[in-house]
Amino acid sequence: QIQPMESGGGSVQAGGSLKLSCVVSGFQHTKYWMWGWFRQAPGKSREEREGVGSILVGSGTTYYADSVKARFTISQDPATKTMYLQMDHLTPEDTAMYYCAVGRGGQWWRQMFYDFWGQGTQVTVSS
């Protein structure tokens, strides 16, 4: 069973940085090769989770939402089955629960293309 697990969330002031990690246990490279980050802002429903970005395991190709492009960076360490989300120049609008997810490919920004989800890690940015 594939189980993603996030860590690294916390509280930071605007302009600061945080780095999230996601360890994917039980990973099967041949099937689940699209890993993504999503976030759920306060007051938003699960269905309204926003795709933050994604990385294709192996090629390392990354995709980002316009709202985080040039501020956030996704990377991976295949040896440890870990995905990272480096978040710089954070703003209060980045406050959310951040989730990592594993999928078999498709439109990276859509939740329906991800099969396994972590429990989330909270990021709070104060002004």
Side-chain angles (χ1 to χ4, degrees), residues 6-26:
E6 309 90 341
S7 63
S11 297
V12 65
Q13 288 192 324
S17 298
L18 278 175
K19 187 173 185 177
L20 307 184
S21 300
C22 174
V23 178
V24 182
S25 61

Side-chain angles (χ1 to χ4, degrees), residues 13-60:
Q13 288 192 324
S17 298
L18 278 175
K19 187 173 185 177
L20 307 184
S21 300
C22 174
V23 178
V24 182
S25 61
F27 173 62
Q28 302 173 32
H29 180 273
T30 54
K31 285 187 176 181
Y32 301 100
W33 48 272
M34 182 173 75
W35 295 8
W37 287 100
F38 285 77
R39 64 186 182 184
Q40 185 173 345
K44 299 288 188 180
S45 68
R46 178 173 181 163
E47 290 70 29
E48 294 175 291
R49 285 180 186 172
E50 175 191 15
V52 173
S54 178
I55 188 166
L56 304 184
V57 175
S59 71

